Each structure stands twice: as structure tokens, then as C-alpha cells.
């Protein structure tokens, strides 16, 4: 009985940790999504620009002039990186979801066991 | 992010606990949506300000028109618009297109760019409005059912305790 109590405690702690991890990963996923959207908007804007348009990049407090091809490839590189990051994080989210689901089932089992024991004690 | 429910569940079959969890979630989603809405509104307003700034401060102004340039929100210095020597056209504006990139544009193109942004945001705002309306309806329905359930439970509980009391007084 006491052993089960301890087990319950440990299980709910791990479950909590899983959920915290899940939340932070989901937040990261949302941030990536926002960045992806922004980069896509920039890419769209670049497409409609003339080749000799003046493009500047903000580096710290200064604006540096950049070639269009350079800027376009920079944005493409970012989009590629972000895409990879998103699929990596999706995998992690799935992993965490599965893990936390497993823990939840275990937790429920232990809880039921404890309840049953309590009922028997009350009955007997 | 919020997908429409694919498998419909009759909410009147849910327990009070499940219903209040659902209610909490809907409220949270609604809050999230309304803060997003407000943020989009603010962004739209900023873009509109940019359009106005171009129209009133730059378009059609020659290099001699004196301007007050804000250095901070409370300190201004006099200045004039610079006309780039290498371009025969009037002065250009630098537009922040996002992720740290700035693009040189003519004032007309700048206005076009910002108008596009404003329209895009208007579309998003409309979508959010629709989503908020849907969620609000859902929330109202859930709240209604929850109230009914609570009332029913209270009545059931009330009659049960009355019965107990009646038994106690008989005994």
C-alpha cells in the first residue's frame, strides 16, 4: 500500500515533467511557425522586386546593402532550416505525447489499485 | 490550429467534470483568439500610420521642405528630405519587409506594399472574427448544458438528503 503510494507520487511527477516538456516544445513549434510565416512573406516580397532593387539587411544597428540574389538565397536557407527544425520538433512532440500517454495509463492503473485496496479495507 | 470536431459528441452525455473542463478549454481558446485579434488590429493600425506618413511627409515633397525628425519621442531636430544623387526620381523610402530586411522603394510602391499588408491583415481579422463567433456559440451551449446538469444534480442531491433526513426523523 505504502509502496504503491510512493509509486503514484513518482508517476505523477514524471507525468508532470512530460507535460511541461510538451508545453515548451509546443511553444517552440509555434515560434518556428511564426518565423516561417515571416520568411515566406519576405520571400514573396522579393519575388516581386526588380533585380537591381536596393535591399538592405539589418546587422545590429547598421543597414548593410545586399545583392538580391544573396538576400534571396539567405531567405531560402532560413526557410529550409526552419522546415527541418519543424519536422524535428514535430517528432519530439509526438514522442512526448506518446510518453505522457503511457505514463497516464500507468498512473490510472496504480490509482485504481489504490482505490480498490481502500475499498476493501473499508469493507473489511 | 483549432480544427473543427470531426467526430461529433453529444455534449449532453458528458459528465459535469468533463463539461467544466471543456468550458475551461473553450474560454482559454477564446482568450487566445481575442489577444491575437487585438495584436493584429494594432499591427494594422501601424501599417496605416506608415501609409499616412508616406502620403503626408514624403509624397510630392521636394528636397527643400523642412521636416522635424524625431530622434526620441520627445526630441526633434529640423531636417530636409535627401534626394539621392544617383536617382533621377524623387526620394525613396526604406521599407521593413520583415526578418531584418529593408527594401528601397518609391513612395508609391511603399504605399502599395503597406496597403497589401493592411488588406492581408483585414482578411486574417475576418477569419479570427468568424472563429471567435463559433467558439462563443460553442461556449454558450456548453455553459447551458453545464447549468442544466448542475441544476439536475442539485435537485437529485437535495431530494436524496431530504429523504435521509426524513428517515432520520422517523428513526
Amino acid at each position: 500500500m505504502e509502496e504503491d503510494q510512493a509509486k503514484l507520487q513518482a508517476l505523477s511527477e514524471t507525468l508532470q515533467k512530460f507535460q511541461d516538456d510538451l508545453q515548451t516544445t509546443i511553444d517552440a513549434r509555434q515560434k518556428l511557425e511564426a518565423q516561417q510565416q515571416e520568411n515566406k512573406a519576405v520571400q514573396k516580397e522579393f519575388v516581386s522586386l526588380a533585380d537591381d532593387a536596393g535591399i538592405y539587411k539589418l546587422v545590429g544597428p547598421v543597414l548593410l546593402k545586399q545583392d538580391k540574389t544573396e538576400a534571396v538565397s539567405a531567405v531560402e536557407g532560413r526557410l529550409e532550416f526552419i522546415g527541418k527544425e519543424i519536422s524535428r520538433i514535430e517528432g519530439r512532440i509526438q514522442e512526448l505525447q506518446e510518453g505522457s500517454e503511457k505514463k497516464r495509463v500507468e498512473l490510472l492503473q496504480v490509482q485504481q489499485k489504490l482505490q480498490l485496496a481502500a475499498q476493501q479495507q473499508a469493507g473489511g | 490550429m483549432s480544427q473543427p470536431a470531426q467526430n461529433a459528441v453529444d455534449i449532453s452525455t458528458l459528465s459535469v467534470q468533463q463539461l467544466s473542463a471543456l468550458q475551461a478549454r473553450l474560454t482559454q481558446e477564446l482568450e487566445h483568439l481575442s489577444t491575437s485579434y487585438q495584436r493584429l488590429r494594432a499591427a494594422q493600425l501601424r501599417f496605416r500610420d506608415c501609409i499616412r506618413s508616406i502620403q503626408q511627409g514624403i509624397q510630392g515633397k521636394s528636397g527643400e521642405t523642412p521636416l522635424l525628425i524625431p530622434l526620441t519621442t520627445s526630441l526633434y531636430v529640423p531636417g530636409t528630405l535627401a534626394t539621392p544623387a544617383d536617382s533621377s526620381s524623387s526620394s525613396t523610402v526604406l521599407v521593413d519587409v520583415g526578418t531584418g530586411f529593408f527594401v528601397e522603394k518609391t513612395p508609391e510602391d511603399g504605399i502599395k506594399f503597406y496597403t497589401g499588408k493592411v488588406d492581408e491583415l483585414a482578411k486574417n481579422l475576418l477569419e479570427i472574427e468568424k472563429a471567435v463567433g463559433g467558439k462563443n456559440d460553442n461556449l454558450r451551449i456548453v455553459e447551458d448544458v453545464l447549468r442544466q446538469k448542475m441544476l439536475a444534480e442539485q435537485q437529485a442531491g437535495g431530494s436524496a438528503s431530504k429523504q435521509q433526513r426524513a428517515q432520520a426523523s422517523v428513526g
Side-chain angles (χ1 to χ4, degrees), chain A:
Chain A
M1 183 83 172
E2 244 166 57
E3 197 185 306
D4 280 341
Q5 289 275 16
K7 207 166 144 194
L8 189 74
Q9 184 76 23
L11 269 175
S12 65
E13 265 166 30
T14 26
L15 184 65
Q16 186 60 46
K17 208 174 153 298
F18 262 116
Q19 304 223 300
D20 287 350
D21 275 357
L22 193 62
Q23 193 54 50
T24 41
T25 341
I26 286 174
D27 285 347
R29 169 79 176 81
Q30 277 173 350
K31 231 160 104 188
L32 279 172
E33 178 79 32
Q35 283 174 349
Q36 194 184 36
Q37 289 297 330
E38 201 181 350
N39 275 290
K40 271 190 183 155
V42 175
Q43 197 180 33
K44 214 173 85 194
E45 184 59 29
F46 280 170
V47 169
S48 63
L49 281 181
D51 280 340
D52 59 346
I55 296 176
Y56 299 81
K57 190 172 185 265
L58 188 69
V59 182
V62 280
L63 284 171
L64 290 180
K65 187 148 176 135
Q66 267 200 328
D67 261 2
K68 192 191 167 189
T69 45
E70 219 177 309
V72 167
S73 69
V75 172
E76 256 165 32
R78 276 193 212 158
L79 276 172
E80 200 183 315
F81 174 76
I82 290 171
K84 272 190 206 150
E85 270 303 278
I86 284 182
S87 43
R88 191 180 68 83
I89 290 225
E90 295 258 271
R92 174 120 180 88
I93 286 177
Q94 188 143 24
E95 237 173 69
L96 283 172
Q97 268 171 344
E98 275 164 19
S100 87
E101 198 47 47
K102 240 202 258 162
K103 285 283 165 222
R104 197 198 305 278
V105 172
E106 271 181 58
L107 189 74
L108 270 176
Q109 278 168 351
V110 175
Q111 240 167 11
Q112 270 169 357
K113 203 169 145 195
L114 271 174
Q115 259 167 12
L116 213 68
Q119 267 171 9
Q120 273 171 353
Q121 230 171 25

Side-chain angles (χ1 to χ4, degrees), chain B residues 16 25 33 42-43 62-63 67 70 73 79 82 84 90 112 127 144 148 157 168:
Chain B
V16 172
R25 233 196 51 204
L33 281 174
S62 67
L67 280 176
T73 45
S90 62
K112 230 187 276 169
E127 254 169 63
D144 270 356
Q148 277 167 16

